């Protein structure tokens, strides 16, 4: 089931890219729209109310398959695979296509902010105890290219009580493109930020 | 052509939502995947190389239809319609669904950062002379709900040479959720950031 669903999500990601870049005529676009509407109608025969949320996976671990950054069932997510190193460094390698564009040929600065929020926040996450963003500061050094290998990484600078201070950056073939620092908080309970 | 393409993009947005929320069985998912792949194949018979970029519209104005925040041909974009008031305030009203989730039932903090980057930056944009992000600082006050009306707004605090200092926030039914301040720069030329 999970694998079938991942194939669906991957197919929708390719469709998103083609939707942006297609140059076929109106008749062909209308025909594609009909096919897509039929697919949506079938998938909508049974829908979760609201959003995916965080569910408990078959192995008992929390799963965030709808998450906009890492969700394997969310076609908007690249999705990032975030790795936690033994040295405390969190990192993720990725390439972003046409769907994440801001300035021509470049990743939108806001997408860089979104990724850094997630990756810096991941340094503070603990199983079943997510951290939420308190503050986040970004410095943009140069453009982040579309279609080129990128890495985002972060580490904890210090911890004070419920606050984790993290720093990190995104780098591409030309060096660091965006630097970030942030404070992430373990909420007492019932608060849902970040 | 534009209208037909907007209908396609709107259909893909509904598909994204159904992909995340569907609970139909594997057979139905596989059938939907096949339909989607057929649509993608037809749309891919003629594709722009790379990304949409910024093109010149029929009326001579620049169009950013592939932009991840405002692009009317980008299914990842909500898309935001950004309004420039006569009082210098830039604002946009929107509702975000399951595709933008971070904490359960809430907008991902990184999506809030993305939107504020764009809306604060819009205060500095001039026709044919986009501004890029220099720095951006975000303060998260409370969770931003999915499925509820939200407004992002920003205004210029001061201008120093090529630098525009802007402030703004996102607010929902429960008040301001995220505050932001940023510095946006008109690059001399050839630089593509933000």
């Amino acid at each position: 089931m999970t694998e079938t669903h991942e194939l669906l999500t991957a197919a929708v990601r390719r469709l998103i890219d083609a939707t942006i870049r297609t140059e076929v005529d109106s008749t062909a676009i209308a025909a594609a729209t009909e096919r897509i509407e039929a697919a949506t109608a079938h998938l909508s025969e049974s829908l979760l109310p609201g959003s995916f949320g965080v569910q408990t996976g078959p192995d008992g671990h929390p799963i965030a398959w709808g998450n906009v950054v890492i969700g394997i069932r969310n076609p908007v997510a690249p999705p990032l695979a975030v790795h936690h190193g033994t040295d405390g460094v969190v990192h993720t390698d990725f390439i972003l296509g046409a769907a994440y564009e801001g300035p021509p040929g470049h990743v939108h600065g806001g997408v860089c902010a979104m990724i850094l929020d997630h990756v810096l926040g991941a340094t503070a996450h603990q199983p079943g105890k997510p951290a939420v963003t308190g503050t986040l500061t970004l410095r943009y050094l140069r453009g982040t290219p579309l279609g080129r290998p990128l890495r985002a990484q972060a580490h904890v600078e210090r911890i004070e009580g419920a606050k984790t201070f993290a720093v990190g950056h995104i780098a591409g073939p030309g060096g660091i493109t965006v630097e970030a620092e942030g404070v992430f908080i373990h909420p007492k309970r019932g608060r849902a930020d970040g």
Side-chain angles (χ1 to χ4, degrees), chain A:
Chain A
M1 181 61 177
T2 300
E3 198 187 338
T4 314
H5 211 130
E6 282 194 64
L7 292 174
L8 165 66
T9 313
V12 179
R13 289 193 187 106
R14 288 189 295 271
L15 173 64
I16 290 169
D17 186 75
T19 297
I20 297 167
R21 295 170 56 212
T22 189
E23 292 191 291
V24 299
D25 65 22
S26 296
T27 311
I29 286 181
T33 304
E34 268 187 40
R35 278 199 176 83
I36 292 159
E37 284 174 343
T40 303
H42 285 292
L43 292 173
S44 301
E45 279 166 18
S46 174
L47 289 177
L48 284 170
S51 56
F52 189 89
V54 175
Q55 302 184 18
T56 302
D59 60 357
H61 288 103
I63 52 173
W65 288 343
N67 186 285
V68 65
V69 176
I70 59 168
I72 58 172
R73 282 197 194 177
N74 186 340
V76 171
L80 298 191
V82 178
H83 303 284
H84 293 255
T86 49
D87 53 0
V89 174
V90 171
H91 79 273
T92 177
D93 294 302
F94 55 100
I95 293 177
L96 298 175
Y100 303 97
E101 189 169 45
H106 289 79
V107 180
H108 194 292
V111 171
C112 295
M114 175 175 76
I115 289 170
L116 284 164
D117 174 60
H118 196 95
V119 173
L120 267 68
T123 67
H125 281 300
Q126 292 161 16
K129 200 184 168 195
V132 300
T133 313
T135 62
L136 181 68
T137 298
L138 304 141
R139 278 178 300 279
Y140 293 80
L141 307 182
R142 55 171 62 86
T144 304
L146 291 177
R148 305 294 301 278
L150 301 173
R151 168 172 289 205
Q153 67 178 60
H155 66 272
V156 173
E157 208 170 49
R158 66 184 193 279
I159 295 172
E160 290 177 10
K163 292 185 180 177
T164 299
F165 294 75
V167 296
H169 64 253
I170 293 177
I176 293 177
T177 63
V178 188
E179 292 175 335
E181 57 188 59
V183 182
F184 299 85
I185 301 162
H186 289 286
K188 292 200 173 149
R189 74 196 175 107
R191 189 164 161 249
D193 291 7

